[in-house]
Amino acid sequence: MDADAARCRASSPTTASADRSLPNSRSRYPRWCSRSCSERGALSAAARQVALQDASADAARLLGRGEGAAAAARVVNVAVPAAHVSSSRSGDLVCVTATTEAMIGSLVRVPQRASSCALDGGL
């Protein structure tokens, strides 16, 4: 457990009125705790975006080598569960687009999208 999480758990609702960093006496945790938790959500969303981009590149290469759409979707869903995958061909390229939503906190949904192309018929 990191230091911020330990401080969040150590905060007690009974001492809330004595803590000047709290907005009111009904708050369970200090302001910095909720900010830290939302920062973790943003970092998680950023990490998921990187994984989505990497998986869409892998899926495009698989399709370019002649693998099926199911194999490409499987690669993306292993990296980012519940992601939706679509593919298209244009000339010598095969492109994959993967989409999902990230939750930041309990109310904010952030749509995420990653696209990547590879040479069709490549090795």
Side-chain angles (χ1 to χ4, degrees):
M1 182 179 336
D2 66 354
D4 285 344
R7 285 175 46 190
C8 281
R9 290 181 188 263
S11 298
S12 168
T14 59
T15 61
S17 59
D19 189 346
R20 294 189 188 273
S21 67
L22 294 174
N24 59 45
S25 62
R26 293 184 305 191
S27 295
R28 180 169 172 88
Y29 300 115
R31 285 184 200 159
W32 61 263
C33 183
S34 62
R35 183 181 68 225
S36 174
C37 295
S38 67
E39 287 171 358
R40 285 192 198 130
L43 287 174
S44 176
R48 180 175 249 187
Q49 179 66 40
V50 170
L52 194 65
Q53 184 64 49
D54 187 46
S56 66
D58 290 343
R61 285 191 293 270
L62 281 174
L63 290 176
R65 287 185 216 138
E67 296 288 330
R74 192 171 34 254
V75 165
V76 172
N77 284 309
V78 165
V80 181
H84 300 283
V85 180
S86 64
S87 62
S88 63
R89 296 185 190 283
S90 176
D92 291 342
L93 294 177
V94 59
C95 297
V96 171
T97 300
T99 58
T100 190
E101 283 188 343
M103 291 293 296
I104 298 178
S106 60
L107 298 175
V108 179
R109 289 180 183 230
V110 179
Q112 294 181 308
R113 181 177 182 268
S115 296
S116 186
C117 297
L119 283 175
D120 197 5
L123 296 175

